[in-house]
Amino acid sequence: MTPILFVYAKGGPPLEYAVPRLAAHAEVHVLALAPLPRTTESVWLPGCASVTTAPPGEGVELVDLICSHARRLGAEAVLTLSEYAVVAVAHASLRLALRGAGERVAGARDKRLMRRIWRDAGVPVPGFAEIHAPEDITAAFETLRPPLLLKAAWSAGSTAHLTAWNEQQAEAAWKTGRSVMEASSAQGYAELHAADEGVSDFLLEEIVTGEASDWFDGDGWGDYVSVEGIVADGRYHPLCITGRIPTIAPFTERASLAPAALPNALQHRIEEVSRAAVDALGLDTCATHTEIKLGADGAMWLIETAARFGGVMTTRQVETVFGLDMIGMLVRQLLGREVAYPERMLTEGKGAAGSLVVLAVDPEGRPWTEHPAWDFDAVDWPALVAPGTRVELVREHSLAPGSPVPPYEEAGGANSMAALCFLTARSGPELLADCGRILAAMPNALTAPSIALTAVSTAPTAAPTAAPTASSALPADRSTPGSTA
């Protein structure tokens, strides 16, 4: 089979799901820039022709490493599923004359550049200001409407996102945000191509008001969605939309669901806005994950586009509901093979699937008063979900059994999660209700007597560490959901 180089870094779908899909289309050689999830290697390792670990370095040094490894293997494509390695892999592919995200990839990674491109292209974005020094904060509050959201320009998973109503709060948030990004960087949860910039670059932006009830059929949905897609030789193919439940402060995701309960006409309106956003970025060949805020009276604002697939189990949700193996499609496109794209974005699927993040807050975002040990098998899952719903623990992105559930840290975002669960249900409304019952039942469900379960698990577990703060480390193996505003 044709050799490809898969650059592994933290974030992205778990290897036990991703590697078999890569290996179905090519001979997979892994260059690991972060510790691999060894406890699940019985699932992913058989799909690898070779595995090489190396310290990542940064900038030109990292690109050199990727290129030399690809040349030695004769790789005909280089790809990554991690947010943090996207830029380096794109630059390496350019140097190797291989298909990739292209020379404008930074626009799909640096949130400041992304917003400048969209503003100039007339794509709707919240008002924003770049923050390089304290005087930039003063200027932001003179021109923007508070409250404002502080964002790290190179972050993922809502890391280093904090809300500020005045300059003093913004200055304190900026200090906290830099500390969180430094801790993130030390643990590999930071931009690999520009490590210094990844820690110090921030922006403040207006918090636009969403209105889910103007868009969705039924209650319980969050006020933003993602359009999952692939850019193939410069042509954007939006594939489907995934929905959310409401975030918790500041804007941390709790669940990604497919399909989204949106009328077809509204889905196609969202599709066109995503097309304008992705086309403006000028990407070449890559996956895309485009987040859009939904306001009253049909208003929309772009949150961000990433030149990679959505985090958590988004790729598996899409495959389960819409029958699209997006990872396999991207591999074939990078190799120049024929790929069957839908003529238009898919709006209807079969059944429902979702990724549910367990955080130490209730459905309204209030912190748990107790923090019991995490134990998937202690929960009476059949009592919490509808008949026909299955709950599966994604062990690669969950705490080891017996580990204390960490307190939720707003600045840490989704990185303070205790576990990631994958759910399948007969319908979207059932899946939405299942997620609500599970979140409401925690943490009491962790201490209730256990009975026979219908849930399944995928592989042995790793043991990540506590939630990120200004002084604590980040989990060892985590998926990185996109951030929202």
Side-chain angles (χ1 to χ4, degrees):
M1 296 182 74
T2 305
I4 64 171
L5 180 60
F6 171 48
V7 179
Y8 173 78
K10 293 190 176 183
L15 292 190
E16 58 187 315
Y17 172 80
V19 170
R21 281 147 187 82
L22 297 171
H25 302 277
E27 180 183 277
V28 180
H29 296 268
V30 178
L31 175 61
L33 306 179
L36 290 156
R38 295 296 184 185
T39 51
T40 59
E41 70 179 9
S42 63
V43 181
W44 59 261
L45 187 57
C48 302
S50 70
V51 177
T52 302
T53 60
E58 61 180 82
V60 174
E61 178 186 351
L62 175 56
V63 175
D64 288 344
L65 171 67
I66 295 171
C67 288
S68 63
H69 203 64
R71 290 191 183 104
R72 183 175 64 82
L73 296 168
E76 295 189 19
V78 180
L79 78 157
T80 184
L81 300 176
S82 168
E83 175 88 353
Y84 306 119
V86 161
V87 175
V89 166
H91 284 284
S93 297
L94 283 168
R95 189 187 298 180
L96 295 164
L98 299 175
R99 288 180 174 84
E103 60 185 10
R104 297 181 63 184
V105 65
R109 184 72 182 95
D110 180 348
K111 294 177 177 61
R112 302 162 304 170
L113 176 58
M114 188 185 303
R115 280 153 179 73
R116 292 199 299 268
I117 291 170
W118 284 341
R119 179 190 59 197
D120 295 345
V123 178
V125 293
F128 69 95
E130 299 180 21
I131 305 302
H132 305 280
E135 52 266 30
D136 296 328
I137 294 176
T138 300
F141 276 89
E142 291 174 350
T143 58
L144 302 178
R145 183 181 66 254
L148 303 181
L149 183 67
L150 179 80
K151 283 186 173 182
W154 300 82
S155 69
S158 299
T159 304
H161 285 27
L162 290 166
T163 304
W165 287 86
N166 55 51
E167 292 180 42
Q168 292 73 29
Q169 289 179 351
E171 289 174 0
W174 189 37
K175 180 178 180 180
T176 299
R178 288 187 307 230
S179 296
V180 169
M181 290 302 293
E182 287 173 359
S184 299
S185 180
Q187 295 297 320
Y189 284 86
E191 174 58 38
L192 294 173
H193 189 256
D196 292 340
E197 290 84 350
V199 169
S200 60
D201 294 343
F202 284 80
L203 69 155
L204 281 165
E205 67 179 20
E206 294 180 339
I207 298 176
V208 293
T209 302
E211 190 58 67
S213 61
D214 277 15
W215 292 81
F216 287 93
D217 293 332
D219 298 328
W221 290 93
D223 57 10
Y224 72 107
V225 296
S226 296
V227 182
E228 320 303 340
I230 293 175
V231 179
D233 296 328
R235 181 183 178 188
Y236 176 50
H237 297 273
L239 299 176
C240 63
I241 291 175
T242 55
R244 304 292 190 276
I245 66 173
T247 60
I248 55 175
F251 291 99
T252 300
E253 299 185 3
R254 303 207 70 172
S256 168
L257 310 175
L262 288 163
N264 284 355
L266 294 183
Q267 291 198 51
H268 287 306
R269 282 196 60 219
I270 294 169
E271 175 188 11
E272 292 311 308
V273 171
S274 76
R275 185 182 302 281
V278 174
D279 286 349
L281 294 177
L283 300 170
D284 188 0
T285 298
C286 61
T288 58
H289 173 72
T290 303
E291 297 181 348
I292 300 174
K293 187 86 163 182
L294 307 176
D297 301 321
M300 285 180 266
W301 299 270
L302 267 295
I303 299 171
E304 62 188 56
T305 286
R308 45 92 179 158
F309 293 119
V312 291
M313 298 292 278
T314 302
T315 50
R316 185 173 173 188
Q317 291 165 220
V318 172
E319 184 173 12
T320 300
V321 174
F322 296 102
L324 298 175
D325 171 14
M326 294 195 297
I327 292 177
M329 293 167 71
L330 178 60
V331 172
R332 294 184 63 82
Q333 187 65 53
L334 289 170
L335 292 173
R337 298 174 185 168
E338 183 177 352
V339 180
Y341 294 102
E343 292 185 6
R344 194 168 188 185
M345 185 185 75
L346 302 180
T347 58
E348 298 179 1
K350 182 178 180 181
S355 303
L356 180 67
V357 176
V358 178
L359 296 161
V361 288
D362 69 13
E364 285 71 46
R366 293 183 293 261
W368 291 359
T369 56
E370 298 180 0
H371 291 79
W374 171 252
D375 185 355
F376 179 84
D377 292 335
V379 179
D380 183 3
W381 297 104
L384 301 179
V385 298
T389 296
R390 291 176 62 84
V391 184
E392 178 180 331
L393 181 65
V394 183
R395 296 188 183 271
E396 189 172 314
H397 299 308
S398 300
L399 293 169
S403 301
V405 174
Y408 173 65
E409 297 280 350
E410 289 190 12
N415 285 320
S416 54
M417 69 183 180
L420 176 65
C421 297
F422 182 74
L423 284 72
T424 55
R426 295 177 298 193
S427 70
E430 283 191 357
L431 178 61
L432 188 66
D434 290 334
C435 290
R437 284 191 293 268
I438 290 171
L439 295 176
M442 300 291 174
N444 293 336
L446 289 170
T447 57
S450 177
I451 63 172
L453 304 178
T454 59
V456 298
S457 54
T458 60
T461 186
T465 58
T469 64
S471 61
S472 67
L474 289 172
D477 294 309
R478 285 289 196 237
S479 195
T480 52
S483 56
T484 68

